[in-house]
Amino acid sequence: MSKNNNNRLPRAKGSEMATFYTPKDCARKVKRIVFQPENRRIIEEFLTILKMKEKFFLHDVPIPNKIVMFGPPGTGKTLTAFYMAQQLDIPLVLVRLDTIIHSHLGETASNVRKIFEYAKAAPCVLFLDEFDAIARTRENNDEVKEMARVVNTLLQCLDEFECGSIFMAATNLQEELDHAVWRRFDTKMTYGMPDDAARSEYIRLLIGDFESEQQTLNHACSSLKGCSFADMEQIILKAKRKAIIESSMLTSKHIRYSIEEYKPHLNMEAIS
């Protein structure tokens, strides 16, 4: 992880409002990324359009630059932002919600504007996770006036976001996003729990060239059904550590013990 020394990150509460990752940092993060087919198609089309800007300008067709991703935790939303930055060879600016949200009246809205102004100053992928925290619907909210101020500022920032940067947002609670904010996104991606093909591909990547018994991959694929990508990664890493401690190849036993210890939250719909 590297800092951008030429364009200092905005600060709030005495801390920087975001973490800066270079394209090289991003490349290390996405060595093992698996996309569901529809999301891969959307991303490839998005990247293709960005490579053909002149042609779209000629036809007076706007270039997309705002992506919202929604789905359960651990399904690859954050990794997609890293992937996009790596593919575009521009930095990723990962916003820290704990510094943006402020108890003082008007401060949160001001911080939102600052981080968007930063992204407009130099090309980057500006990524905001848990987007619903600042884009929550203005209806039936306990802090209606302050939330309305934040959402109105966010809407202005999205409308004025005409630059060489990309804005990406992720949420697990898409139904709670303000409808006006939702409409500002030109690209929407749905994330779900990995299916059999995605799970098999991802586990194969996680095991890599680590020496393992012949049946270990198949055992892992069947045993990890219902797990998110994030949970699978932690379980396979735990199993590898056990194998290293024992100076052993990776076995089904290591996988089984790691699942028992990690206790993943299984998606029962994916299992059935």
Side-chain angles (χ1 to χ4, degrees), residues 225-243:
K225 190 171 185 177
C227 288
S228 67
F229 287 116
D231 282 347
M232 283 191 282
E233 179 182 26
Q234 291 304 316
I235 289 167
I236 297 298
L237 287 176
K238 183 181 281 289
K240 282 183 172 181
R241 293 187 192 107
K242 292 181 183 299

Side-chain angles (χ1 to χ4, degrees), residues 63-234:
I63 303 295
N65 68 349
K66 293 182 282 291
I67 300 174
V68 63
M69 302 171 285
F70 50 95
T75 50
K77 299 185 293 296
T78 300
L79 273 184
T80 301
F82 278 99
Y83 179 80
M84 193 68 73
Q86 182 260 327
Q87 288 291 306
L88 295 171
D89 196 30
I90 56 178
L92 174 76
V93 176
L94 195 157
V95 178
R96 294 181 51 201
L97 274 179
D98 62 320
T99 58
I100 280 196
I101 296 175
H102 204 290
S103 59
H104 291 172
L105 193 66
E107 280 296 310
T108 301
S110 175
N111 289 340
V112 168
R113 184 168 292 282
K114 285 178 186 177
I115 202 69
F116 272 90
E117 290 300 322
Y118 173 88
K120 288 166 66 176
C124 67
V125 171
L126 179 65
F127 176 59
L128 208 161
D129 198 4
E130 298 181 42
F131 188 50
D132 47 279
I134 65 167
R136 195 179 294 267
T137 179
R138 288 165 286 184
E139 301 173 2
N140 302 321
N141 196 288
D142 293 336
E143 300 174 344
V144 175
K145 290 183 179 178
E146 179 62 8
M147 180 55 65
R149 181 183 288 107
V150 173
V151 173
N152 288 338
T153 298
L154 178 61
L155 289 170
Q156 291 172 6
C157 290
L158 291 173
D159 287 340
E160 297 165 1
F161 199 66
E162 297 179 2
C163 57
S165 294
I166 305 297
F167 177 59
M168 299 183 71
T171 180
N172 307 328
L173 304 169
Q174 67 270 19
E175 68 280 355
E176 296 193 14
L177 294 187
D178 191 273
H179 295 305
V181 173
W182 183 256
R183 291 197 303 271
R184 285 341 193 250
F185 286 90
D186 44 57
T187 306
K188 300 177 176 72
M189 297 172 64
T190 305
Y191 286 72
M193 302 300 285
D195 59 16
D196 291 346
R199 184 170 63 257
S200 177
E201 181 183 354
Y202 190 57
I203 292 172
R204 192 183 302 275
L205 289 170
L206 288 172
I207 293 176
D209 56 4
F210 199 100
E211 187 179 7
S212 59
E213 287 183 346
Q214 188 172 359
Q215 70 271 25
T216 302
L217 175 62
N218 289 337
H219 176 80
C221 290
S222 60
S223 300
L224 296 175
K225 190 171 185 177
C227 288
S228 67
F229 287 116
D231 282 347
M232 283 191 282
E233 179 182 26
Q234 291 304 316

